[in-house]
Amino acid sequence: MNYLIDITLIAFGAAIINNFVLYYFVGTCPFVGVSRKVEMAVGMGLAVTFVMTIAAFLSWTITTLVLIPGAPLSSFIGSFFLPAATAQQIDLTILSYIVYIFVIASSVQFVEMYVRKFFPSLYRSFGVFLPLITTNCAILFACLTIMSNIAGVENPSDAWDLGRSLVFAFFGGVGFTIAIFIMAGIREELELCDIPKPLEGAAITLIVGGILALAFMGFTGVGTGLKDALTFSRQETVMNHPSTPDSSIIAANVEKAVMRFHKKG
Amino acid sequence: MADQPTAYERFIQGILPENPVYRQVLGLCPTLAVTNSMNAALTMAGAVAFVLLCANIVTSLIRNLLRPHLRIVIFTLTIATFVTIADRFLAAYMYQMSKTLGPYIPLIIVNCLIICRCEVCASKQSVWTAASDAAGQSIGYALALSSIAGIREILGTGMLFGFRLLPEIWPDWVIMVLPPGAFITLGLLLGAANWIQIVQSKKTDNN
């Protein structure tokens, strides 16, 4: 149950609340570059989601098995020529950037070959986007976030497992697709508009993107609200008798809030 | 090689005529993400300058060994190495700044600006030309970043580098330091750059 709540929060956070493009600014280049037509935008979004999930799987596996201190594979290999205590502490996280970029580049290559061989029609719709994804910062950003949630946490039990990482990457890709799809829809309408000459192209796209980001800021705080709602409904079912706060306490709280408001004003 | 620009031309072109952000619209992710304060923007520009210089020099040194189908992978691995160095350096000496910039330092690896310069200039020309190209592009990038960051920080907080510029009565436009402000500022500045170029080309046409 707890796990499900966690997964839901990660999914909502990655797809909508902290949208990759509109909140973290990763993947802005394709967002500006290939959002001219809706079909192209959807193709790019699907390709990114696909590669991002695969890259997240690979990078989670490599990080857990090889890179972090005390990882099974590196300490096993290290134990051949190092004392056991030292082998347990081999820390290869410094290599993470090089490893990730290699993982992304090679997974893009493999996905391209695989899709071309077995799904020719899908390959044609992806077109030139697949190789371009190698330099899409959204993928590397997903890998880095997963790493910081494995290696950066203080309590080892808080580290993300494979399920959380995959959900994060997949819904991050979904969020990217949503953003680029909305953008492409708006841009198709913009073709018919009378835009000032200097603002044509990238400039108007960025301004529209700014307004979109403003709209997406409305989701700020949804995460905590969702968490409260999910955990509260769980407590309710467990306790059967949810304690309702006393009306006098509510009145006091309202009074306090009003006082605070006046003080600010 | 006769038609390639010389070292001096490369250097001058990078600053304004081929400005990486305003003219080539490259490397947008960090441009948008780290420009909410001047300090962060300048640190980012410094890191990009270091990586770009080193990557351009190394690429130029090995340009005769490169195989066409492997070159992008080689570029990326070279860049990743220098980004790791820059990231460790920041974490050691400017810990707070490295926390603020967070994942955007490693994201320099996939910054299209650096790969583009390796591809366009360093893989074809001599070390000296590549280095001056890197210097020019870095100065152009720093100018672009600091112009965006300056506008956002002044309007968003009324301060620059932590010193108050606008009077206390200024209602801070918080939106400018938040994500939407980045998009809108860059969009308007791009429009302004295009406008200046249109006006200039009209002038030369009239002459």
Side-chain angles (χ1 to χ4, degrees), chain B residues 72-111:
Chain B
I72 300 284
V73 178
I74 302 289
F75 294 162
T76 351
L77 288 180
T78 317
I79 297 165
T81 314
F82 290 113
V83 168
T84 311
I85 296 173
D87 181 59
R88 292 293 97 194
F89 179 84
L90 280 180
Y93 292 101
M94 301 166 79
Y95 185 68
Q96 220 43 49
M97 186 49 77
S98 139
K99 278 269 175 232
T100 319
L101 292 175
Y104 295 104
I105 290 288
L107 283 179
I108 297 176
I109 302 171
V110 283
N111 193 327

Side-chain angles (χ1 to χ4, degrees), chain A residues 46 86 108-109 135 152 182 192 219 240 243 245 253:
Chain A
L46 289 180
T86 327
V108 168
Q109 286 284 325
T135 54
I182 299 175
L192 307 171
F219 289 111
N240 278 329
S243 58
N253 275 343

Side-chain angles (χ1 to χ4, degrees), chain A residues 21-29 31-32 94-95 97-98 101-102 105 134-138 140-141 144-145 197-200 202-207 209-211 213-214 217, chain B residues 25-30 32-33 72-73 76-77 80-81 83-84 87-88 103-104 106-107 109-110 112 115 152 175 178-180 182-184 186-188 190-192 194-195 198:
Chain A
V21 179
L22 300 172
Y23 186 83
Y24 287 120
F25 308 106
V26 289
T28 329
C29 300
F31 182 67
V32 175
I94 191 161
L95 291 177
Y97 304 158
I98 296 175
I101 200 69
F102 208 71
T134 314
T135 54
N136 186 332
C137 12
L140 185 63
F141 180 77
L144 289 167
T145 315
K197 190 109 181 66
L199 287 181
E200 273 172 13
I204 194 73
T205 313
L206 284 167
I207 294 174
I211 297 167
L214 204 58
M217 268 183 68
Chain B
V25 199
L26 288 175
L28 288 185
C29 312
L32 291 167
I72 300 284
V73 178
T76 351
L77 288 180
T81 314
V83 168
T84 311
D87 181 59
R88 292 293 97 194
Y104 295 104
L107 283 179
I109 302 171
V110 283
C112 2
I115 298 178
R152 285 183 70 192
I175 201 74
L178 292 174
F183 281 107
I184 293 172
L186 181 58
L188 290 177
L190 262 182
N194 287 342
W195 182 67
I198 289 173

Side-chain angles (χ1 to χ4, degrees), chain A residues 18-176:
Chain A
N18 296 338
N19 189 287
F20 271 32
V21 179
L22 300 172
Y23 186 83
Y24 287 120
F25 308 106
V26 289
T28 329
C29 300
F31 182 67
V32 175
V34 285
S35 58
R36 223 167 257 121
K37 287 265 168 296
V38 169
E39 298 91 66
M40 273 165 72
V42 172
M44 184 72 188
L46 289 180
V48 166
T49 314
F50 195 52
V51 175
M52 204 187 281
T53 317
I54 291 171
F57 172 73
L58 288 175
S59 62
W60 184 88
T61 316
I62 293 177
T63 312
T64 337
L65 289 184
V66 185
L67 294 180
I68 54 170
L73 202 60
S74 56
S75 42
F76 174 71
I77 296 173
S79 63
F80 285 118
F81 39 85
L82 283 174
T86 327
Q88 281 295 320
Q89 289 164 359
I90 296 177
D91 185 358
L92 294 177
T93 41
I94 191 161
L95 291 177
S96 53
Y97 304 158
I98 296 175
V99 170
Y100 289 157
I101 200 69
F102 208 71
V103 163
I104 293 169
S106 44
S107 58
V108 168
Q109 286 284 325
F110 277 116
V111 167
E112 195 185 352
M113 287 195 285
Y114 182 80
V115 172
R116 181 157 50 181
K117 182 91 171 63
F118 294 101
F119 307 98
S121 60
L122 191 66
Y123 179 75
R124 273 195 298 278
S125 65
F126 278 0
V128 292
F129 302 131
L130 268 176
L132 271 182
I133 291 172
T134 314
T135 54
N136 186 332
C137 12
I139 316 255
L140 185 63
F141 180 77
C143 291
L144 289 167
T145 315
I146 290 167
M147 186 198 93
S148 68
N149 275 301
I150 297 173
V153 290
E154 281 159 25
N155 192 350
S157 61
D158 290 343
W160 279 7
D161 59 355
L162 186 56
R164 285 188 179 89
S165 311
L166 286 183
V167 164
F168 175 77
F170 179 75
F171 280 95
V174 170
F176 178 81

